[in-house]
Amino acid sequence: ANLTSVSGFLLMGFSDERKLQILHALLFLVTYMLALTGNLLIITIITLDLRLHSPMYYFLKHLSLLDLCFISITVPQSIANSLMNNGYISLTQCILQVFFFIALASSEVAILTVMSYDRYAAICRPLQYETIMDPSACRRAVIAVWIAGGLSGLMHTAVNFSIPLCGERVIYQFFCDIPQMLKLACSKEFMNEIAVAAFTTSTAFACLISIVFSYIHIFSTVLRIPSAEGRTKVFSTCLPHLFVVTFFLSAAGFEFLRPPSDSPSAMDLMFSIFYTVIPPTLNPVIYSLQNDAMKAALRKVLSKEEFAQRKMYFKAVFKL
């Protein structure tokens, strides 16, 4: 407690029992490796397969990159803390964790909004689609997504760590969670953070409204398609995205908007897992299983012929 009161924080994690700490570390390690493999595989497939060089898969590649970075912010640190039986995190580590966590979460909401608009343009305005989503527009959209996330992370970090803290710096989470850190603030000293959080929440709500309106138009257009095969094809590209959006925003919204409790509970930890660990792990599975083009590209990349061609190509490159 004396150490954390001077230079850092103490993350309480999931349990004080050594066996449960080891179990938690193993479960998180398996989950992290699955997320790492799945997202890297999607990035590799989309990069290598020329048939997937379209706006939808361009945005999906950046979503996978965001997921890869997002889960890497919290899970490896939590695994290390559990294995070493030490929940201490320095002030610098906590600042960086908060910045990147908020920045990547905000960027994920933004990229999901852009992806919903891309599906709206492709389905509802097919004749103007290539003009609306031309390569330069896609690049500008992605740049805007990363910049918006960075600004959001910067605002939250600057405001949150300017708040004076009272008492022991003990956080009942497995990462530096802003709602938990606000419980350490001195009385009525965190109004600036609440104002920033209100602005971020309103922006996220605007993104949600945009996504909902996009899908209302999409579904009304799809239901007018006479062919059942055409409807199935459209739903196979839209439903995975809708599931990802709903799961991520509902879990994060519930955690950040519900009234803070005075005593920590297992429910707080469970809901934090729902929006920090599960979405980056499930997204590759959801998009791969429901998308015929992704499944075909995956089979092609993993085939022996393709592997031999890539091996010959890299040999030729290195000889040059």
Side-chain angles (χ1 to χ4, degrees), residues 152-169:
S152 177
L154 193 61
M155 285 193 301
H156 277 280
T157 305
V159 172
N160 188 68
F161 286 95
S162 65
I163 299 172
L165 303 179
C166 298
E168 297 178 353
R169 298 188 181 187

Side-chain angles (χ1 to χ4, degrees), residues 12-303:
M12 295 304 293
F14 292 91
S15 175
D16 292 331
E17 294 185 25
R18 189 62 188 147
K19 291 182 180 179
L20 292 179
Q21 288 177 342
I22 298 296
L23 178 62
H24 152 251
L26 291 175
L27 290 175
F28 262 32
L29 180 60
V30 171
T31 304
Y32 182 63
M33 294 307 297
L34 289 174
L36 199 68
T37 304
N39 285 293
L40 281 176
L41 197 57
I42 283 185
I43 293 170
T44 304
I45 289 171
I46 294 174
T47 303
L48 295 179
D49 198 319
L50 296 178
R51 295 172 300 175
L52 301 181
H53 288 189
S54 64
M56 182 177 78
Y57 296 106
Y58 177 70
F59 296 134
L60 177 58
K61 182 168 71 171
H62 280 273
L63 175 65
S64 294
L65 180 59
L66 282 169
D67 282 335
L68 190 63
C69 297
F70 186 61
I71 196 170
S72 298
I73 295 301
T74 56
V75 171
Q77 176 74 48
S78 180
I79 293 171
N81 289 347
S82 295
L83 291 177
M84 294 186 295
N85 194 22
N86 180 11
Y88 172 74
I89 183 171
S90 69
L91 179 61
T92 302
Q93 287 177 305
C94 195
I95 290 173
L96 290 173
Q97 195 175 72
V98 167
F99 169 74
F100 284 109
F101 181 85
I102 297 296
L104 293 168
S106 302
S107 296
E108 183 136 348
V109 173
I111 197 72
L112 290 172
T113 307
V114 172
M115 291 174 72
S116 69
Y117 180 75
D118 170 70
R119 291 298 82 208
Y120 160 77
I123 295 168
C124 302
R125 302 177 65 183
L127 298 179
Q128 296 86 26
Y129 179 68
E130 291 187 3
T131 304
I132 296 172
M133 304 305 293
D134 67 282
S136 62
C138 293
R139 285 193 295 270
R140 288 195 300 270
V142 167
I143 290 171
V145 163
W146 287 94
I147 291 175
L151 291 175
S152 177
L154 193 61
M155 285 193 301
H156 277 280
T157 305
V159 172
N160 188 68
F161 286 95
S162 65
I163 299 172
L165 303 179
C166 298
E168 297 178 353
R169 298 188 181 187
V170 178
I171 300 175
Y172 292 93
Q173 262 293 1
F174 64 93
F175 65 100
C176 288
D177 187 31
I178 287 182
Q180 292 292 328
M181 293 179 69
L182 290 179
K183 295 179 182 179
L184 308 178
C186 299
S187 179
K188 298 181 181 180
E189 293 286 347
F190 51 85
M191 295 307 296
N192 289 336
E193 172 60 29
I194 291 177
V196 172
F199 172 75
T200 307
T201 303
S202 61
T203 305
F205 186 72
C207 290
L208 178 61
I209 294 297
S210 174
I211 292 170
V212 169
F213 273 107
S214 295
Y215 274 97
I216 288 174
H217 286 289
I218 288 171
F219 288 140
S220 63
T221 302
V222 169
L223 293 176
R224 290 198 297 268
I225 297 176
S227 129
E229 183 180 350
R231 289 195 298 270
T232 303
K233 185 177 180 181
V234 172
F235 280 128
S236 70
T237 60
C238 293
L239 289 180
H241 177 257
L242 187 60
F243 177 81
V244 169
V245 170
T246 304
F247 189 86
F248 180 77
L249 290 181
S250 58
F254 181 84
E255 173 66 17
F256 280 92
L257 296 178
R258 68 192 182 95
S261 58
D262 294 330
S263 58
S265 66
M267 193 64 66
D268 295 326
L269 292 168
M270 289 302 298
F271 271 102
S272 64
I273 291 175
F274 283 151
Y275 68 86
T276 58
V277 179
I278 294 179
T281 307
L282 288 184
N283 285 356
V285 179
I286 293 168
Y287 280 106
S288 299
L289 292 179
Q290 294 294 326
N291 191 299
D292 292 333
M294 285 294 297
K295 287 188 285 188
L298 178 61
R299 285 192 295 267
K300 181 182 176 182
V301 168
L302 296 179
S303 66

